[in-house]
Amino acid sequence: MAITNTPEQLTHAWADVLSYREPDQVPEIASRLASAGVTPEMTAMALADSGEMLAQRMESGDTGWEQDFGDMLGVALLAGEVSAQAAFRVSQASKVRSGAVNALLDEYSAVFVASQLGISRQKVYEIGRAASKPHRGRR
């Protein structure tokens, strides 16, 4: 007997796997992925290794490799999601770094912070200023 997911289970699955996306974007993106034959599980696998498996399969030159991912449209969509997740992670890391540098500047000189981070004093000021700007985005 085949196990089928209810629409509610699928909605939760897509929301979980696309958690780096704005919640109001998830239904449209999930629909696009599903229409291309991509499942939440396939998406989670591609995201888990930052697209490494997709790249290896593509570079293998094996005929029909893309069929495992819903054809080339699925591959392109999955690669797009890997890119979107990477951009989200970079943004998160930037916010954290800015906050940490700003906090360090409360205790230490910019010259000391720069030497510890291996960056210029000017870059320390740029990073610290970014912490005081309001951030857009999901989190």
Side-chain angles (χ1 to χ4, degrees):
M1 174 181 240
I3 298 173
T4 58
N5 291 321
T6 66
E8 184 176 299
Q9 288 171 320
L10 280 174
T11 300
H12 288 300
W14 281 117
D16 287 346
V17 78
L18 299 174
S19 63
Y20 54 92
R21 291 289 199 164
E22 294 287 341
D24 63 336
Q25 295 177 329
V26 171
E28 179 184 343
I29 294 166
S31 176
R32 194 176 310 131
L33 287 160
S35 292
V38 177
T39 66
E41 295 79 15
M42 292 164 65
T43 306
M45 280 181 28
L47 296 172
D49 71 356
S50 300
E52 185 63 29
M53 177 188 50
L54 288 172
Q56 287 176 357
R57 294 288 300 277
M58 180 187 71
E59 292 166 357
S60 75
D62 293 343
T63 304
W65 68 270
E66 69 280 357
Q67 298 305 314
D68 291 340
F69 307 102
D71 213 343
M72 279 301 179
L73 178 58
V75 170
L77 289 167
L78 285 170
E81 289 310 305
V82 168
S83 180
Q85 184 192 51
F88 174 75
R89 298 285 177 232
V90 167
S91 177
Q92 271 189 319
S94 179
K95 289 178 206 175
V96 170
R97 185 179 190 201
S98 293
V101 167
N102 214 26
L104 286 168
L105 289 172
D106 287 342
E107 284 191 54
Y108 303 102
S109 72
V111 171
F112 176 79
V113 173
S115 71
Q116 295 300 300
L117 297 178
I119 59 177
S120 72
R121 183 181 56 161
Q122 181 58 35
K123 188 67 176 174
V124 167
Y125 289 128
E126 289 173 23
I127 293 168
R129 273 196 306 269
S132 62
K133 294 180 183 175
H135 291 284
R136 293 180 32 200
R138 196 163 172 281
R139 294 183 190 165

